[in-house]
């Protein structure tokens, strides 16, 4: 049983938490291919209660922990101080999907009572100044890079899961709607959106709220407040949020990669078939990777198949809508599909151009062979004439003596000259013939009769 929770937390999905717990989820740039480690599967690192059986079935799809370290709370330092919130426990994990999309998870619980204002300031610091978070007086990612032996860099996406405890939890569950709205607005928007109860209700600004009495869920794009849930539900929500953050990072990377391939296709200036084929091969390989990313880096984490439970499905659906993942996925899929069409069209154009080039080459070779044959036949006939021991051949005369052998030269060359002239005239007639390749319209077409009036109506 985790500290700060009631004894019935392992039985019910709802529980009372004494200490506020916050999970910071940071997407990491680049690829971090998971390797076989002694950490095992993610389902072995946390208690998932009744959800564990679903996760055991799908553990090959789930992110894999590549680092899991329990850290002394005093080692973590924020750029603007702790805002009066001392940590009671700190756990740092780096998880990576089978496609290599990594997420940094910072699991914190606070030692004392937390107020909405202090918590909002703490969330704002850990989000907007996350590059300046330090561990042991050094940047957090620098320390983790040395431990993993692989470079790490923060991505663009952040999601912060807040599980209120103590007085803050009781206030959120029991306060009236106006007070609850003020508290949730401050936490979800990290104190950056002042609440004015006198203004009209704006669904685009208000957190997505579900209040079941014993539990409460309020969701924004970057912060989720989940109050009254048992630890195994909290861990399940964390897993869903990790999948969503990872999917959003994949969508952004896919969009940038698609634009890069489009530019590579447009800016390719080459007339070499080999280079064009190499370009098409690279683009096709890139599109295949994009399709795999969309299938196994996004679609695998945006539905309720991993944990088919109502609690998880409701949170997943709300977060998917808040992040706009469904629309982004459809748009990215269409972009990849059109990029595939462009690559296929370019490949077809290349094949047509190569076929035309081969046809021109074959015609040229055939023409050269025919010309060589045509040129070689008359000399062959003349050589045969001069080679025989005929009475018309005088050994004392040169074969170039046209007065003596003019008739032989004329008989050898004249038929071929006549054949060339006839062929040239026929080709000119074919190329300069008048008329259109399409049949002319028939001017004598029968006009269409006007429509008949309905039966029984008078004729005009």
């Amino acid at each position: 049983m985790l500290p700060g929770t009631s004894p019935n937390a392992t039985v019910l999905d709802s529980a009372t938490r004494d200490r506020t717990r916050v999970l910071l989820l940071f997407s990491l740039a680049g690829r971090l291919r998971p390797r076989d480690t002694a950490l095992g599967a993610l389902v072995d690192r946390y208690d998932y209660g009744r959800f564990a059986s679903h996760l055991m079935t799908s553990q090959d799809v789930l992110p894999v922990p590549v680092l899991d370290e329990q850290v002394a709370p005093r080692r973590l330092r924020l750029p603007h101080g702790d805002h009066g919130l001392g940590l009671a426990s700190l756990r740092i994990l780096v998880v990576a999907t089978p496609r290599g999309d990594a997420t940094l998870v910072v699991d914190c619980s606070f030692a004392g009572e937390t107020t909405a204002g202090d918590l909002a300031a703490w969330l704002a610091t850990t989000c907007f100044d996350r590059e300046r978070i330090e561990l042991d007086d050094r940047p957090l990612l620098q320390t983790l890079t040395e431990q993993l032996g692989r470079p790490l860099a923060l991505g663009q996406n952040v999601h912060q899961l807040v599980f209120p405890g103590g007085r803050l939890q009781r206030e959120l569950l029991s306060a009236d709607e106006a007070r609850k709205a003020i508290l949730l607005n401050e936490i979800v928007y990290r104190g950056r959106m002042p609440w004015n109860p006198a203004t009209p209700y704006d669904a685009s600004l208000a957190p997505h709220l579900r209040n079941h009495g014993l539990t409460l869920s309020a969701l924004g794009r970057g912060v989720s407040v989940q109050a009254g849930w048992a630890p195994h539900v909290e861990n399940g929500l964390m897993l869903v949020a990790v999948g969503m953050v990872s999917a959003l990072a994949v969508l952004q990377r896919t969009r940038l990669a698609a634009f890069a391939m489009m530019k590579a296709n447009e800016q390719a200036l080459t007339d070499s078939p080999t280079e064009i084929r190499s370009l098409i091969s690279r683009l096709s390989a890139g599109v295949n990777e994009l399709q795999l990313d969309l299938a196994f880096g996004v679609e695998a984490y945006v539905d309720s198949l991993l944990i088919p439970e109502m609690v998880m499905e409701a949170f997943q659906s709300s977060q998917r809508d808040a992040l706009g993942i469904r629309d982004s996925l459809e748009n990215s899929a269409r972009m990849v599909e059109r990029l595939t069409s462009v690559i296929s069209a370019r490949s077809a154009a290349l094949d047509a151009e190569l076929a035309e080039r081969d046809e021109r080459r074959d015609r040229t070779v055939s023409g050269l062979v025919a010309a060589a044959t045509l040129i070689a036949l008359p000399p062959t006939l003349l050589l045969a004439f001069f080679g025989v021991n005929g009475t018309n051949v005088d050994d004392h005369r040169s074969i170039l003596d046209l007065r003596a052998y003019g008739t032989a030269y004329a008989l050898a060359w004249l038929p071929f000259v006549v054949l060339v002239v006839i062929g040239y005239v026929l080709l000119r007639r074919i190329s300069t013939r008048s008329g259109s390749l399409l049949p002319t319209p028939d001017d004598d077409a029968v006009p269409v009769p006007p429509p008949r009036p309905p039966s029984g109506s008078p004729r005009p």
Side-chain angles (χ1 to χ4, degrees), residues 24-346:
L24 307 177
L25 310 180
F26 304 106
S27 65
L28 298 177
R31 296 289 185 97
L32 185 62
R33 297 290 184 180
R35 302 172 182 173
D36 294 333
T37 63
L39 297 178
L42 187 60
V43 68
D44 300 325
R45 312 308 298 175
Y46 280 94
D47 174 27
Y48 292 99
R50 63 187 182 92
F51 306 134
S53 58
H54 300 300
L55 300 179
M56 291 295 295
T57 304
S58 306
Q59 62 180 347
D60 291 338
V61 187
L62 296 176
V64 177
V66 295
L67 184 144
D68 185 3
E69 184 178 358
Q70 199 77 31
V71 181
R74 65 179 181 277
R75 296 175 59 190
L76 186 72
R77 295 186 179 181
L78 304 184
H80 304 297
D82 57 9
H83 303 281
L85 301 178
L87 294 179
S89 65
L90 176 63
R91 185 177 183 181
I92 297 177
L93 299 92
V94 176
V95 298
T97 66
R99 294 287 299 168
D101 303 300
T103 303
L104 171 62
V105 181
V106 181
D107 190 349
C108 310
S109 64
F110 297 100
E113 295 289 348
T114 55
T115 64
D118 293 341
L119 188 58
W122 194 89
L123 293 174
T125 298
T126 54
C127 174
F128 304 122
D129 296 318
R130 55 187 180 274
E131 295 86 357
R132 299 168 57 190
I133 298 177
E134 295 182 350
L135 189 66
D136 295 331
D137 298 327
R138 291 190 302 170
L140 174 61
L141 286 188
Q142 181 179 346
T143 303
L144 299 182
T145 295
E146 294 178 358
Q147 294 181 5
L148 289 175
R150 284 173 281 183
L152 299 177
L154 288 173
Q156 298 180 356
N157 303 292
V158 179
H159 195 81
Q160 298 166 313
L161 282 169
V162 179
F163 303 107
R167 186 169 58 249
L168 182 58
Q169 179 187 16
R170 294 190 297 270
E171 189 174 10
L172 284 172
L173 294 177
S174 60
D176 55 53
E177 294 301 321
R179 176 60 180 168
K180 188 177 302 182
I182 294 174
L183 294 175
L184 291 176
N185 184 84
E186 188 168 15
I187 297 174
V188 169
Y189 294 105
R190 307 184 183 100
R192 296 300 194 267
M193 185 70 66
W195 176 262
N196 184 3
T199 58
Y201 177 78
D202 189 350
S204 64
L205 297 179
H208 192 288
L209 177 63
R210 285 190 176 91
N211 189 358
H212 305 288
L214 294 176
T215 61
L216 179 144
S217 298
L219 181 66
R221 184 176 180 86
V223 178
S224 299
V225 179
Q226 307 289 337
W229 297 109
H232 67 279
V233 178
E234 295 176 354
N235 297 333
L237 297 176
M238 174 198 69
L239 185 58
V240 171
V242 167
M244 289 295 177
V245 170
S246 176
L248 190 59
V250 173
L251 283 173
Q252 293 171 344
R253 187 181 68 240
T254 301
R255 190 75 59 90
L256 295 176
F259 272 99
M261 283 187 282
M262 179 196 67
K263 290 182 179 179
N265 178 68
E266 292 178 347
Q267 297 174 358
L269 300 176
T270 176
D271 294 329
S272 171
T274 302
E275 294 180 358
I276 296 177
R277 287 188 184 278
S278 177
L279 172 65
I280 292 176
S281 177
R282 293 196 306 270
L283 294 178
S284 299
V287 168
N288 291 337
E289 285 296 316
L290 295 185
Q291 291 175 339
L292 289 176
D293 281 339
L294 293 178
F296 297 100
V298 181
E299 293 176 345
Y301 302 108
V302 297
D303 55 30
S304 59
L305 187 61
L306 293 178
I307 308 179
E309 296 285 347
M310 292 182 62
V311 175
M312 299 295 111
E313 185 176 358
F315 174 68
Q316 191 173 46
S317 176
S318 300
Q319 192 175 33
R320 185 175 60 233
D321 294 340
L323 298 177
I325 289 181
R326 183 67 67 186
D327 293 338
S328 299
L329 176 59
E330 293 177 357
N331 293 335
S332 298
R334 281 194 295 267
M335 290 174 60
V336 174
E337 181 180 355
R338 283 160 175 74
L339 188 60
T340 303
S341 301
V342 170
I343 295 173
S344 300
R346 183 152 196 168

